[in-house]
Amino acid sequence: MNLFYLFHFINLYIIVILLKEHECAKPPCQSEIYCKGELLHTVQMAKIYPDSKTFVDKKLKVSVKQVLENYNETFKHFNNFNKEVPRELVKRFVNDNFEDGNELKIWVPPDWTHHPTILSNIDNLYLRKWANKLNNLWKTFSRKVTDQVKENPELYSSIYVPNGFIIPGGRFKELYYWDTYWIVNGLLICDMVQTAKGMIENLLYLVKVFGHVPNGSRVYYLQRSQPPMLTLMVESYFMHTGDLNFVKNNIEILDKEINYWLDKRSINIMKNGVTHTLYRYFALSSGPRPESYREDFETTIVSSNDTERFLRYIAIKSAAESGWDFSSRWFSSGGTNEGNLTDTMTQNIIPVDLNALLHKSFIILLEWYKILGDNEKIQKYTRLSVSTLKAIEEVLWSKEEEFWCDYDIVHQKSRNYFYMSNFVPLWTKSYRFQPMDLTRIVLNYITKYNLQYYPGGTPSSLKYTGEQWDFPNAWPPLQAFFIQGLDRIGSIPASEAAFFFANRFIHSSYKGFKETGFMFEKYDSLEAGKTGGGGEYEGQTGFGWTNGLIFEFFKRWGSRLHVLMPLPIQYFSNC
């Protein structure tokens, strides 16, 4: 515990100095409504909506200045940070000053087609019919920001983007960063190249305006990003179309986004006398997440002082930036993954997935700059790709676990626990193993944790905490990293294992759709076709990244996939 506070005492001064740069990047008066301040605190703590996100998604009926004046007049007899305000008074104030935004309009993608070519790649009749229904879902979740948001941005928490896009579904009615990667891939496979390009251009637009891709296209998400996959989206588009001009015209924006991660999320780690530069999730801003204000405020109430609460807020928002909100992966009680949400210390953990994704981005940009002949950038990305791969090998490879693991920078040790993020270096090819050696390592790891025996998909972790990114939930993006990572090893045993797990997830998703008519945000690994649970909100339907991943599996294995579960394949018992 002393080491914990010593570490934070050293860094706290730096954090305070940098903090002002990371506050909500809108005019101060608007940030006092959607990002911080008494008004936000009063409304969110009154619990007038079951979901805290409902309020910060609302539109102002009048100007920001008028809303703030109305607030001060209405609540002038209350000190709202310390005294409970009558719930009915808060409800009346919100109804008088806010309304549903309706900032998105239904939009029909111009390149949607009834019969995408992928259907001919699917031999199983039932799966082909299912794929056709999933293709129809692209229209169901197609949206475009209205002109009113562009003309009166100060009245909305929504951020304008120029092109139509696919929303994830459920409560998520805006554009999200890493969700978009799988949506883009699914669109490309369904012949919707123009729509996929437009979605990528939306993210490029956000980088031009804000210097990074925010968590989502809302003002209150500007305080953090999400796993950096924009360069990988452009790679998907380039590999599908061969459009080098698109790469050439946007590579400076991709370089700008990478610089955001280099400047804001890098940290030097010394191990065995050698200093390595690695990257972490570190969403530096004060206060709770606006869209989960009450939940965060109540989580940090156990803090003994303002400094401790400040650090907990950073930890919570950094976990949200990781996409894993929330999980025992970020718990750090006594240097373990025990504890609960109050023990979250994301910024003290070097994540395997983030470093592997950045390494992959460095490699992609290096290859493109070689094609474009930019020697300065060639040197930059050569240096970054080499040094990051070495750091992954030296810091994130656990000799005890014989696999990649997150690293605890406070206790200076590997976090030798099973998480699906441990497979991401397979997906990004951030290694120098020979294929058969790596096959043996990975299949042994799979067998060690009995991953072949979960009918609903592979769980995020093997630790039950009630948090949604822990057991028993199986998340589509993590299935992608795991299954496609296996397949990319290139050996027959690894590819056959990948097919087994892909077919298992296809079966679970198909069963869920057949029984409910929905695709889920996450699945229960213990029961095929059942939605996952836990966390801050109910399981969501839609769902963009699930649909996109299913189409990726159809593209890779469409002639082999079926809807009956196979028995575990022989490779798992012969490692």
Side-chain angles (χ1 to χ4, degrees):
M1 185 59 69
N2 289 337
L3 183 60
F4 171 85
Y5 280 109
L6 176 62
F7 179 84
H8 286 299
F9 179 78
I10 294 172
N11 288 281
L12 187 57
Y13 180 69
I14 298 173
I15 289 174
V16 172
I17 291 175
L18 293 174
L19 187 58
K20 291 182 180 179
E21 299 177 15
H22 294 76
E23 293 299 333
C24 182
K26 277 283 181 179
C29 55
Q30 191 187 39
S31 72
E32 290 175 13
I33 293 175
Y34 290 121
C35 300
K36 61 183 180 179
E38 280 195 17
L39 189 156
L40 180 64
H41 180 86
T42 299
V43 174
Q44 297 291 45
M45 296 308 295
K47 303 181 183 181
I48 61 175
Y49 301 110
D51 188 340
S52 293
K53 190 175 186 297
T54 303
F55 171 65
V56 290
D57 285 358
K58 286 188 172 293
K59 170 185 175 289
L60 279 63
K61 290 183 176 180
V62 294
S63 71
V64 173
K65 180 181 179 182
Q66 186 63 57
V67 170
L68 292 172
E69 288 178 358
N70 293 346
Y71 172 82
N72 291 330
E73 178 62 27
T74 303
F75 299 100
K76 61 186 177 183
H77 299 300
F78 297 92
N79 180 350
N80 299 317
F81 279 110
N82 300 310
K83 187 175 181 180
E84 187 175 349
V85 177
R87 189 168 179 269
E88 288 304 314
L89 182 62
V90 177
K91 186 182 295 186
R92 186 161 61 249
F93 167 76
V94 171
N95 289 337
D96 288 343
N97 291 274
F98 296 86
E99 61 188 352
D100 291 340
N102 297 321
E103 61 268 30
L104 297 180
K105 60 183 178 182
I106 302 298
W107 171 73
V108 179
D111 51 356
W112 183 87
T113 175
H114 286 280
H115 300 289
T117 54
I118 185 61
L119 297 181
S120 63
N121 193 52
I122 305 169
D123 286 359
N124 184 281
L125 177 62
Y126 298 104
L127 293 182
R128 195 183 318 132
K129 289 182 177 179
W130 179 41
N132 194 42
K133 292 180 179 179
L134 296 186
N135 180 57
N136 290 333
L137 287 180
W138 295 133
K139 287 199 303 181
T140 301
F141 296 105
S142 297
R143 300 290 187 273
K144 200 171 191 300
V145 180
T146 63
D147 290 340
Q148 286 83 357
V149 176
K150 183 178 181 181
E151 294 164 3
N152 301 288
E154 72 282 355
L155 299 181
Y156 297 85
S157 67
S158 182
I159 297 172
Y160 172 79
V161 291
N163 302 313
F165 56 92
I166 310 298
I167 60 172
R171 76 197 281 265
F172 303 111
K173 299 172 182 176
E174 47 276 313
L175 181 152
Y176 283 84
Y177 187 0
W178 73 321
D179 296 63
T180 302
Y181 175 80
W182 287 278
I183 293 171
V184 161
N185 284 347
L187 293 173
L188 291 170
I189 292 168
C190 291
D191 305 328
M192 296 173 66
V193 177
Q194 182 180 343
T195 301
K197 182 180 181 182
M199 288 194 70
I200 296 171
E201 288 175 335
N202 284 339
L203 300 186
L204 293 166
Y205 169 84
L206 292 172
V207 175
K208 285 191 287 187
V209 174
F210 300 109
H212 69 285
V213 183
N215 184 152
S217 56
R218 293 276 184 182
V219 168
Y220 53 77
Y221 284 140
L222 289 171
Q223 299 170 327
R224 60 184 188 263
S225 188
Q226 266 192 336
M229 304 188 73
L230 178 54
T231 298
L232 280 66
M233 294 180 214
V234 176
E235 182 198 36
S236 290
Y237 176 81
F238 174 67
M239 296 297 290
H240 189 89
T241 65
D243 187 353
L244 184 60
N245 281 332
F246 185 73
V247 173
K248 183 178 180 180
N249 292 338
N250 293 292
I251 196 166
E252 289 185 7
I253 302 175
L254 299 178
D255 183 60
K256 182 178 182 178
E257 197 226 358
I258 289 296
N259 286 337
Y260 171 83
W261 291 90
L262 299 181
D263 295 341
K264 310 294 186 183
R265 301 295 188 266
S266 64
I267 186 170
N268 291 329
I269 304 296
M270 180 173 286
K271 187 174 182 183
N272 299 326
V274 178
T275 299
H276 302 278
T277 299
L278 285 156
Y279 306 90
R280 59 178 171 166
Y281 295 110
F282 188 40
L284 185 57
S285 61
S286 60
R289 290 170 297 155
E291 80 284 4
S292 299
Y293 190 100
R294 183 179 70 253
E295 293 86 345
D296 289 359
F297 186 87
E298 292 174 350
T299 296
T300 63
I301 202 72
V302 299
S303 304
S304 59
N305 55 60
D306 289 344
T307 298
E308 189 175 319
R309 171 170 281 197
F310 175 71
L311 292 170
R312 281 198 166 104
Y313 283 141
I314 291 176
I316 288 170
K317 283 178 283 193
S318 298
E321 181 171 77
S322 77
W324 286 58
D325 48 344
F326 294 96
S327 168
S328 61
R329 185 183 174 198
W330 309 124
F331 295 175
S332 184
S333 178
T336 72
N337 68 342
E338 298 296 325
N340 54 45
L341 195 56
T342 65
D343 297 296
T344 298
M345 272 296 149
T346 316
Q347 66 269 35
N348 294 343
I349 296 168
I350 303 298
V352 168
D353 47 3
L354 173 60
N355 286 275
L357 291 170
L358 285 171
H359 174 251
K360 175 66 172 176
S361 297
F362 298 157
I363 293 292
I364 294 169
L365 289 169
L366 173 60
E367 292 306 311
W368 286 339
Y369 277 121
K370 285 180 179 178
I371 294 173
L372 298 175
D374 189 325
N375 290 327
E376 182 180 344
K377 294 298 172 62
I378 289 172
Q379 292 178 12
K380 172 184 176 178
Y381 285 104
T382 298
R383 184 184 75 255
L384 285 169
S385 59
V386 170
S387 63
T388 304
L389 178 58
K390 183 177 180 181
I392 290 171
E393 293 173 336
E394 296 296 325
V395 180
L396 298 178
W397 179 262
S398 170
K399 293 180 180 178
E400 297 81 9
E401 192 71 357
E402 292 191 316
F403 217 70
W404 297 279
C405 291
D406 297 335
Y407 186 81
D408 184 329
I409 61 179
V410 174
H411 297 89
Q412 299 180 12
K413 64 177 184 179
S414 292
R415 289 172 60 85
N416 294 326
Y417 314 112
F418 172 80
Y419 293 104
M420 285 283 276
S421 49
N422 295 348
F423 289 105
V424 177
L426 289 180
W427 192 79
T428 60
K429 293 191 173 184
S430 301
Y431 54 78
R432 285 185 279 200
F433 292 103
Q434 292 300 309
M436 289 311 300
D437 291 337
L438 186 56
T439 299
R440 175 186 56 79
I441 290 168
V442 175
L443 294 185
N444 282 342
Y445 191 70
I446 289 170
T447 305
K448 175 181 178 179
Y449 290 109
N450 296 313
L451 303 185
Q452 65 270 38
Y453 296 118
Y454 294 97
T458 310
S460 304
S461 78
L462 300 180
K463 189 176 184 65
Y464 179 79
T465 62
E467 300 301 339
Q468 64 172 348
W469 286 84
D470 274 323
F471 186 85
N473 287 343
W475 289 81
L478 305 186
Q479 311 306 304
F481 292 141
F482 171 46
I483 294 167
Q484 293 172 337
L486 269 171
D487 194 36
R488 290 173 186 180
I489 294 174
S491 70
I492 292 175
S495 292
E496 286 302 300
F499 171 72
F500 164 77
F501 287 110
N503 202 72
R504 182 177 73 177
F505 192 68
I506 285 283
H507 171 78
S508 181
S509 303
Y510 175 81
K511 184 173 185 290
F513 187 86
K514 185 177 179 182
E515 293 175 354
T516 69
F518 295 115
M519 298 292 285
F520 300 129
E521 174 195 31
K522 54 186 179 286
Y523 289 79
D524 185 339
S525 66
L526 297 175
E527 183 178 342
K530 182 181 177 182
T531 185
E536 297 177 325
Y537 55 83
E538 298 296 323
Q540 303 296 298
T541 58
F543 197 85
W545 61 20
T546 312
N547 306 344
L549 178 61
I550 295 300
F551 278 114
E552 289 193 72
F553 288 169
F554 283 148
K555 181 180 179 181
R556 174 66 178 90
W557 292 291
S559 63
R560 296 182 63 189
L561 292 167
H562 48 86
V563 293
L564 297 176
M565 280 294 291
L567 294 173
I569 60 176
Q570 60 182 353
Y571 302 103
F572 299 124
S573 58
N574 296 321
C575 295

